[in-house]
Amino acid sequence: MLILNAVLLVIFDFYIFFALRATKIKAVKTKWFSFIWWGYSIGLLVGLFISAKYNIPLMYRSIILVAFFMTATSKFIFILVLLADDIRRGGVWISRLFSPRKRESLAERVEDLAEPLPENPKHGISRSEFLTKSGILVASLPVVPLAWGVISGGYDYQIRRQKLYLPNLPASFHGMRIAQISDVHSGSFYNKKAVLGGVEMLLNEKADVTFFTGDLVNNIASEMRDYQDIFSKVKSDLGVYSTLGNHDYGDYYYGPTDSLAKRKNLQDVIDTHKVMGWDLLMDEHRSLKLNNEEISIVGVQNWGTGRFPKKGDLKKALMGTEESPVKLLLSHDPSHWRAQVLDTDVDVMFAGHTHGMQFGVRNEHFQWSPAKYIYKEWAGLYEEKQQKLYVNVGYGFLGYPGRVGILPEITIFELIKGEKPLV
């Protein structure tokens, strides 16, 4: 993936560079422009390789990733504009090539290939130059929101409140409050004070139970070294229950094949949950009891459709819960809901994984993100008959070290005995 990204960026660079040199913009024809253009590109690629291969400080790694993300986004947008102009110019050339023209030899037509189409109006600028300059403007627009997403969005934790109506809920659990966080991705953090501030927001809610639905790290257990003490503060009177996500297995660092180092890393991740006092559910369940009444909290390892690991065993996790009036499931990937969970009697599934792509629009009445084109259920509450799924868009971030519109989430649920009132 790293090599592919680098190759694409180089292709973008050559295409845009020579397109700019073909314009009448004087600045792009100077030596200093070439020096800055290629110096920045080479420096960015070198930084990208260093950040991927060496354990450099997270702050510098984040700066490199932000620069790469914003550069690639802007250049991709610019290329779309340039391609549109090239397609237009090609269409004009083809139409002229096949149109009957007097006293024009084949050699003259072939010569047209090497010459730009005549677009020199008496007043103003040509269409191509207009499109090129417009492309520069349009390509620069994403820089502002993306930069703001790093400065502010990545740690702008939001409390979202959600009532869950459950007809079979035992009376003792009516009004119980559950907190959920997901997708910490500790390897991406670079601001401990901000992370602690989010944890303190969570603790101020004084939830009876807390759920964590996977992806504690990006790749390796040691990423939690600087943040273990912070997340150890997450406590609830009735316990903190957690599960694993696709990033917790080390597949993206050690590769898909099994190895001693990879197994040790996974055990270190598991041990980290234990040290923090979190009850990690590995295809198993716990009975939560109040006043001689109980409900089941079920947790499975990661199970996702497509290329994501299918390590969870839902059938095994549910064994022994047959008499439980309510089953609450922790499963990292929301695609698990339609693939398997809807065929069970699980009442509510709590998931994460999507991050809402860390980009989009979300308010009380409307939400949109490119994530919706990948996941049918990508953020918030979904219901089908009597079964429910809630997708938390995550506490941390991955890749792009920020968020635009889809802000980090702490969800507070209230369990309500009964049917949801008709609006």
Side-chain angles (χ1 to χ4, degrees):
M1 182 61 75
L2 177 63
I3 294 176
L4 177 61
N5 288 334
V7 170
L8 286 176
L9 190 61
V10 170
I11 293 173
F12 288 179
D13 278 336
F14 274 98
Y15 186 61
I16 295 173
F17 179 78
F18 287 106
L20 289 173
R21 292 293 291 265
T23 67
K24 295 182 178 180
I25 303 174
K26 293 182 180 179
V28 302
K29 300 179 185 296
T30 60
K31 289 183 179 180
W32 65 261
F33 176 81
S34 300
F35 178 79
I36 293 174
W37 180 272
W38 294 112
Y40 174 80
S41 296
I42 293 170
L44 184 59
L45 289 175
V46 170
L48 192 64
F49 276 101
I50 291 175
S51 67
K53 299 297 182 182
Y54 300 98
N55 188 26
I56 65 174
L58 285 174
M59 183 179 71
Y60 298 118
R61 188 190 313 169
S62 299
I63 291 172
I64 292 169
L65 288 174
V66 172
F68 174 78
F69 188 87
M70 291 194 294
T71 300
T73 301
S74 296
K75 289 183 178 179
F76 177 74
I77 293 172
F78 193 15
I79 276 180
L80 293 180
V81 177
L82 293 176
L83 279 174
D85 183 48
D86 283 345
I87 292 171
R88 180 191 65 79
R89 287 163 59 88
V92 172
W93 182 84
I94 291 173
S95 67
R96 289 179 177 177
L97 183 65
F98 290 99
S99 62
R101 290 187 291 176
K102 296 180 180 179
R103 295 183 303 277
E104 183 178 49
S105 68
L106 179 61
E108 288 174 324
R109 293 192 180 189
V110 172
E111 188 179 352
D112 285 347
L113 286 169
E115 295 292 333
L117 293 175
E119 292 187 27
N120 298 311
K122 294 180 180 179
H123 303 285
I125 62 175
S126 70
R127 283 173 291 181
S128 290
E129 191 170 351
F130 171 76
L131 285 172
T132 302
K133 291 182 177 180
S134 298
I136 295 172
L137 176 62
V138 172
S140 66
L141 293 179
V143 173
V144 175
L146 289 174
W148 181 249
V150 175
I151 296 168
S152 175
Y155 298 100
D156 189 7
Y157 301 106
Q158 303 291 304
I159 301 288
R160 299 187 70 87
R161 304 185 188 278
Q162 180 67 59
K163 292 183 178 181
L164 296 176
Y165 294 88
L166 302 169
N168 297 329
L169 185 71
S172 298
F173 293 89
H174 177 76
M176 188 176 83
R177 301 172 79 244
I178 299 173
Q180 181 195 6
I181 58 173
S182 190
D183 297 87
V184 163
H185 289 286
S186 55
S188 298
F189 289 141
Y190 54 88
N191 188 334
K192 292 181 68 173
K193 184 177 180 181
V195 174
L196 176 59
V199 168
E200 290 174 343
M201 287 177 64
L202 169 63
L203 294 176
N204 288 338
E205 292 295 320
K206 295 180 169 54
D208 301 298
V209 182
T210 299
F211 292 162
F212 172 71
T213 46
D215 278 0
L216 189 65
V217 298
N218 291 343
N219 296 302
I220 53 178
S222 60
E223 294 169 7
M224 275 296 289
R225 187 177 295 126
D226 294 334
Y227 295 93
Q228 182 173 303
D229 291 344
I230 293 176
F231 286 98
S232 293
K233 298 177 184 294
V234 177
K235 306 289 183 185
S236 289
D237 290 342
L238 298 179
V240 179
Y241 300 91
S242 59
T243 192
L244 297 178
N246 54 298
H247 280 264
D248 295 320
Y249 297 96
D251 291 345
Y252 307 114
Y253 185 84
Y254 296 98
T257 56
D258 191 22
S259 68
L260 181 61
K262 185 176 177 181
R263 289 197 299 271
K264 182 183 184 303
N265 179 70
L266 176 58
Q267 187 58 54
D268 289 344
V269 171
I270 292 171
D271 290 343
T272 300
H273 284 252
K274 292 179 181 178
V275 169
M276 294 190 302
W278 297 4
D279 189 353
L280 179 63
L281 302 177
M282 302 280 285
D283 303 331
E284 53 192 324
H285 71 274
R286 302 285 185 266
S287 293
L288 203 60
K289 297 182 179 180
L290 287 175
N291 303 323
N292 295 320
E293 295 181 309
E294 65 180 63
I295 61 175
S296 293
I297 298 176
V298 184
V300 295
Q301 298 187 67
N302 191 84
W303 197 103
T305 58
R307 63 186 176 87
F308 294 106
K310 296 177 174 59
K311 298 180 182 291
D313 189 337
L314 182 58
K315 184 176 180 181
K316 175 184 175 183
L318 289 171
M319 289 179 61
T321 67
E322 292 81 7
E323 302 302 320
S324 180
V326 167
K327 302 177 181 65
L328 307 179
L329 171 67
L330 280 63
S331 181
H332 177 69
D333 192 320
S335 66
H336 193 196
W337 192 56
R338 290 201 174 275
Q340 289 188 340
V341 177
L342 284 176
D343 294 328
T344 70
D345 60 350
V346 166
D347 296 276
V348 187
M349 173 176 153
F350 300 83
H353 183 61
T354 71
H355 297 211
M357 273 196 176
Q358 298 168 208
F359 178 85
V361 178
R362 196 180 188 199
N363 57 44
E364 186 178 351
H365 305 290
F366 175 79
Q367 62 181 28
W368 177 88
S369 163
K372 69 175 293 184
Y373 304 113
I374 301 174
Y375 294 94
K376 186 171 183 179
E377 293 84 22
W378 62 275
L381 184 66
Y382 301 87
E383 300 183 73
E384 192 156 311
K385 296 180 180 179
Q386 293 296 321
Q387 293 175 280
K388 300 175 177 61
L389 164 69
Y390 190 89
V391 184
N392 179 294
V393 298
Y395 188 91
F397 43 78
L398 181 67
Y400 166 57
R403 288 173 175 265
V404 179
I406 305 295
L407 299 175
E409 176 178 357
I410 299 167
T411 320
I412 304 297
F413 301 93
E414 182 182 1
L415 301 187
I416 306 294
K417 179 177 177 59
E419 300 281 354
K420 182 178 180 179
L422 297 176
V423 178

